[in-house]
């Protein structure tokens, strides 16, 4: 199948498939007219790459997983290590977002009471800067 058909089968843009030709896909056979000719095996590999990317794996990590498989090794230990790191990163980011939300809610509640004296750039953001400096001193 041509690149457009493969892209439709996977649900990606044909440019994405061209980009993945950087080593995550084997070079497809070419038709006599020079068009790339993708197989069902290629489409399955593209679905795998798309799913791995959706799960947060980087292209380099996907490449590592594929390399394990091509060497006849199971990549499960590697994948579990990446997943463990990702969960830790997500937990940290969730905490940061919750903290930011609390800060923004508190700042918004105080915003109407802040003096607008024309000094600084923005009273609300200047207040946030002062509060952050006070928190660091504590």
């Amino acid at each position: 199948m041509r690149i457009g058909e493969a892209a439709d089968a996977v649900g990606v843009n044909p440019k994405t498939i061209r980009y993945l030709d950087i080593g995550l896909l084997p070079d497809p056979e070419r038709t006599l007219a020079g068009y790339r000719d993708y197989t069902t095996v290629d489409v399955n590999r593209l679905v795998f790459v798309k799913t791995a990317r959706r799960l947060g794996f980087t292209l380099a990590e996907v490449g590592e997983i594929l390399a394990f498989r091509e060497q006849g090794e199971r990549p499960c230990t590697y994948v579990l290590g990446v997943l463990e790191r990702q969960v830790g990163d997500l937990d940290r980011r969730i905490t940061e977002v919750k903290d930011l939300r609390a800060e923004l809610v508190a700042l918004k509640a105080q915003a109407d009471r802040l003096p607008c004296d024309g000094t600084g750039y923005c009273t609300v953001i200047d207040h946030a800067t002062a509060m952050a400096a006070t928190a660091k001193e504590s």
Side-chain angles (χ1 to χ4, degrees), residues 54-133:
R54 182 182 62 77
L55 294 173
F57 287 85
T58 66
L59 290 176
E61 291 165 341
V62 173
E64 284 290 315
I65 295 166
L66 294 172
F68 276 112
R69 292 298 295 160
E70 288 168 4
Q71 295 168 10
E73 298 178 37
R74 295 183 52 93
C76 298
T77 302
Y78 174 77
V79 169
L80 291 174
V82 172
L83 291 177
E84 186 175 328
R85 190 189 78 240
Q86 285 179 314
V87 169
D89 290 346
L90 281 173
D91 287 344
R92 180 187 47 76
R93 288 172 39 204
I94 288 168
T95 299
E96 289 172 357
V97 168
K98 284 181 178 180
D99 291 347
L100 177 60
R101 184 185 188 287
E103 181 181 359
L104 293 174
V105 167
L107 186 59
K108 187 174 182 298
Q110 296 172 353
D112 291 336
R113 296 188 299 268
L114 295 174
C116 191
D117 58 10
T119 62
Y121 293 103
C122 170
T123 305
V124 175
I125 295 174
D126 292 340
H127 179 72
T129 302
M131 295 304 295

Side-chain angles (χ1 to χ4, degrees), residues 1-3 18 28-38:
M1 71 185 78
R2 289 192 182 168
I3 194 167
R18 284 190 193 96
E29 297 291 323
R30 297 273 182 165
T31 65
L32 293 176
Y35 293 110
R36 292 177 177 98
D37 189 21
Y38 293 93

